[in-house]
Amino acid sequence: MLRYLTRRLGQALLVVAGVVVLTFAVMRLVPGDPAVAFAGPKATPEELAAARRQFGLDDSIPVQLLNYVRDLLSGDWGISLHTRQPVRDDLYLAFPASLELVGTALLIAVVVGIPVGVLAARYKTKFPDIGVRFGSMLAVSVPVFWLALALQTVFASNLGWFPIAGEYDAKLDTTSPLTLWTNITVVDALITGNWPIFTSTLQHLVLPALVVAAYPTGVIAQMTRAALIEESGQDHTRLERALGFGETSILTRFALRPALNPVLSLIALVFAYSIVNGFLVEAVFNWPGLGRYAADSIRSLDTPAIAGVTLLVALVYVLANLVVDILQGFVDPRTRAR
């Protein structure tokens, strides 16, 4: 197991190194001069020269890359050109809201997708299976922005069941101010016992979380179904049938655990995808996460901020895959030999 973990960690570090180099290249390929964007179009030559020195733009490309890696390792992710704040601080404020949204969506996707996939595998080619396949295909293929607007129009604007936008009721900042611990609003409200903000955040979470959860729920259900059907044809399941176990018992007690390996890998993939996919959802529901920050950064050609968002999403993806690899090593010892 230790050798397996060391190998996976080494592979993750290589991917991170490649992402850092790619992010640096993107920063240099984006059109525009960061010094002009930072100092302003009316800056004097002296102010432009000072900005270029501040960003190290006068150094050679290899030196800039080394300085970029050194700054990243020391926690300096650069200065945002449009907020004039350290990118790391901006991401620290924006990422928890996205994590709150995507984490809730993935929880919904796992809780719904795996049981639904088991149901479809249990009744393969029958009505429940056909319904699950149709529903999962619809969930995967529907455009996320259309679904967001549709749910917002029906359940927020017309029926009034849920708030139309925002993370929680802004009036509560005055009546029930929240003490921040993790910057994840629903967690901080739960920790501090701020029930007005806690309930308001849950109400605001429902619609955007359902939109983000649609795609992962569909693919998790499809993968669970396919993995269980394949696993149910293995020799050990034939033996269990011969011993008199029922089909439901075979699927849930014996086939589900080994079938979870590809599902776990898929969850890591859809986690990173959902963060990026959530950018559109955040824009529709005015959710204060990475989506708004990324959109503002792109509009202002803020290369340090764009690079910071790109690097953060890549690091989350690598970390999620590493966690899944570790879980797979415990769930199925056969994966350690890969």
Side-chain angles (χ1 to χ4, degrees):
M1 186 65 184
L2 181 60
R3 186 166 62 249
Y4 170 78
L5 293 178
T6 303
R7 186 169 64 251
R8 293 302 188 190
L9 182 59
Q11 293 172 353
L13 291 176
L14 286 176
V15 173
V16 170
V19 168
V20 169
V21 174
L22 182 61
T23 304
F24 174 80
V26 169
M27 291 176 60
R28 294 298 173 263
L29 292 175
V30 170
D33 189 344
V36 174
F38 184 79
K42 297 182 180 180
T44 64
E46 292 77 14
E47 291 173 336
L48 285 176
R52 293 187 67 82
R53 285 194 300 271
Q54 179 180 352
F55 288 103
L57 300 176
D58 293 330
D59 297 328
S60 64
I61 295 298
V63 172
Q64 290 183 44
L65 176 59
L66 291 176
N67 291 337
Y68 178 64
V69 174
R70 181 199 61 199
D71 291 342
L72 287 178
L73 293 176
S74 64
D76 181 6
W77 287 35
I79 302 296
S80 171
L81 302 181
H82 77 281
T83 67
R84 297 294 196 272
Q85 299 295 323
V87 172
R88 185 187 63 178
D89 294 348
D90 288 342
L91 295 177
Y92 178 74
L93 294 175
F95 181 63
S98 293
L99 188 62
E100 178 181 52
L101 175 59
V102 174
T104 304
L106 276 187
L107 180 62
I108 295 172
V110 171
V111 169
V112 175
I114 292 180
V116 164
V118 173
L119 178 67
R122 172 64 181 85
Y123 297 99
K124 183 178 65 171
T125 71
K126 296 181 180 179
F127 180 75
D129 181 29
I130 296 173
V132 169
R133 282 189 289 170
F134 177 77
S136 60
M137 186 180 302
L138 186 64
V140 168
S141 59
V142 65
V144 64
F145 63 87
W146 182 89
L147 182 59
L149 291 173
L151 292 185
Q152 191 180 60
T153 301
V154 174
F155 295 104
S157 298
N158 295 341
L159 298 176
W161 291 357
F162 300 100
I164 194 168
E167 189 178 14
Y168 59 87
D169 189 349
K171 297 177 183 177
L172 294 176
D173 285 331
T174 303
T175 59
S176 303
L178 179 64
T179 302
L180 298 178
W181 291 82
T182 64
N183 274 349
I184 301 177
T185 302
V186 69
V187 174
D188 291 339
L190 183 62
I191 292 174
T192 59
N194 193 327
W195 304 119
I197 288 187
F198 179 75
T199 54
S200 179
T201 304
L202 290 181
Q203 291 171 350
H204 283 76
L205 257 176
V206 172
L207 292 183
L210 287 176
V211 175
V212 177
Y215 178 85
T217 301
V219 294
I220 288 173
Q222 290 177 353
M223 179 60 75
T224 303
R225 173 189 178 276
L228 278 174
I229 290 175
E230 180 181 357
E231 195 66 30
S232 64
Q234 301 297 320
D235 291 340
H236 70 90
T237 56
R238 296 193 187 98
L239 176 61
E240 288 143 10
R241 288 190 187 94
L243 292 174
F245 288 99
E247 197 65 26
T248 302
S249 179
I250 291 173
L251 288 177
T252 55
R253 292 179 58 186
F254 303 107
L256 183 58
R257 181 173 176 177
L260 283 179
N261 267 327
V263 177
L264 288 174
S265 299
L266 182 66
I267 290 173
L269 290 174
V270 298
F271 177 66
Y273 173 81
S274 297
I275 292 178
V276 179
N277 198 35
F279 287 4
L280 289 173
V281 180
E282 290 179 9
V284 173
F285 288 96
N286 195 28
W287 194 264
L290 279 179
R292 180 194 298 177
Y293 183 70
D296 293 342
S297 302
I298 292 172
R299 278 195 297 266
S300 58
L301 287 179
D302 189 347
T303 51
I306 295 171
V309 172
T310 304
L311 184 59
L312 177 60
V313 172
L315 290 176
V316 169
Y317 171 76
V318 171
L319 181 61
N321 273 278
L322 181 60
V323 171
V324 167
D325 286 341
I326 294 173
L327 289 176
Q328 284 181 325
F330 284 106
V331 171
D332 189 355
R334 294 174 298 178
T335 61
R336 303 175 193 173
R338 297 176 185 173

